[in-house]
Amino acid sequence: MAMKFNILAIVAILAATLHCSVAQRTHIVGDSLGWLVPPGGSIAYTTWASKQTFTVGDVLIFNFPTGIHNVAQVTRTSFDACNTTSPISLTTNGPANITLTTAGEHYYICTFSSHCDLGQKLAINVSAAPSTSPPPQSATPSPVPAPSPSRTPQTYIVGDNLGWLVPPGGSIAYRTWAATKTFLVGDILGA
Ligand SMILES: *[C@@H]1O[C@H](CO)[C@@H](O)[C@H](O)[C@H]1NC(C)=O
Ligand SMILES: *[C@@H]1O[C@H](CO)[C@@H](O)[C@H](O)[C@H]1NC(C)=O
Ligand SMILES: *[C@@H]1O[C@H](CO)[C@@H](O)[C@H](O)[C@H]1NC(C)=O
């Protein structure tokens, strides 16, 4: 019963670990605001990002109609200067789902004329996915080691020269004979 309980506990822990390692959150950029030129400037996205925790594997969803905005990932320098020349990547179709594949700072802007300057820019900080610790040692039942024989099996002639008979002096003959021997599993008694 106790053993059964332990196994259930281990299965539960493994399931929880597995679930953790594949957990993936989606972040709708700007929430209901979506991805646009925000009325009050870039503070809208700065505020939004400050309330989120981004982890590798998470997905950013940029909600915008194709053709009037886009999403470009850029360097910090380009982000600060709203430089739309040669972005790291450019997604033109909205809504855009962007999976965060690396840790560190990520910068996104819209490359449409003056949109970035007007505040359509997002900086986020992505943390590495938590490392999944290896399952506890006890989770894998260690095989029972097979007994290793300390010598090759031996054949014993019971009573030696006496043989197997009614001994002249009584059972002491066989007890004396046996006392001088060491018997291991696999040995053979002959007569
Ligand atoms: C914009 O970025 C490009 C590529 O990184 C660079 O060659 C160019 O000089 C930058 N423009 C400005 C105005 O900084
Ligand atoms: C983007 O993510 C949303 C929410 O998870 C999902 O409903 C939608 O199908 C995804 N779109 C694409 C193109 O993957
Ligand atoms: C991002 O996180 C790293 C590690 O925690 C930190 O060193 C860095 O300053 C952060 N960057 C920003 C812009 O918050």
Side-chain angles (χ1 to χ4, degrees):
M1 191 56 166
M3 179 67 111
K4 207 170 198 174
F5 232 87
N6 279 343
I7 289 167
L8 285 178
I10 289 162
V11 167
I13 290 164
L14 282 180
T17 308
L18 210 59
H19 181 76
C20 268
S21 64
V22 297
Q24 177 200 69
R25 278 164 300 173
T26 56
H27 306 268
I28 299 173
V29 176
D31 293 322
S32 56
L33 185 66
W35 183 237
L36 42 64
V37 177
S42 64
I43 186 77
Y45 294 119
T46 311
T47 306
W48 174 82
S50 69
K51 293 180 190 144
Q52 313 275 323
T53 306
F54 303 97
T55 307
V56 168
D58 288 359
V59 178
L60 295 180
I61 300 175
F62 290 84
N63 277 324
F64 63 93
T66 304
I68 64 166
H69 299 290
N70 62 20
V71 184
Q73 188 180 355
V74 296
T75 61
R76 180 177 194 152
T77 308
S78 292
F79 177 85
D80 289 341
C82 282
N83 184 340
T84 61
T85 310
S86 51
I88 297 165
S89 67
L90 181 67
T91 307
T92 56
N93 289 335
N97 291 6
I98 295 177
T99 302
L100 302 171
T101 55
T102 55
E105 293 161 22
H106 292 54
Y107 301 93
Y108 303 94
I109 64 172
C110 175
T111 69
F112 277 68
S113 166
S114 76
H115 286 195
C116 175
D117 290 310
L118 292 171
Q120 192 172 10
K121 58 198 298 193
L122 169 70
I124 62 169
N125 207 358
V126 181
S127 57
S131 61
T132 53
S133 52
Q137 206 66 51
S138 56
T140 43
S142 51
V144 175
S148 49
S150 51
R151 57 163 169 75
T152 53
Q154 222 169 295
T155 300
Y156 292 101
I157 308 298
V158 175
D160 291 328
N161 293 337
L162 182 68
W164 182 236
L165 44 64
V166 178
S171 65
I172 184 77
Y174 293 119
R175 268 186 274 136
T176 306
W177 174 83
T180 60
K181 309 288 187 287
T182 305
F183 304 94
L184 292 183
V185 170
D187 287 353
I188 297 162
L189 292 179

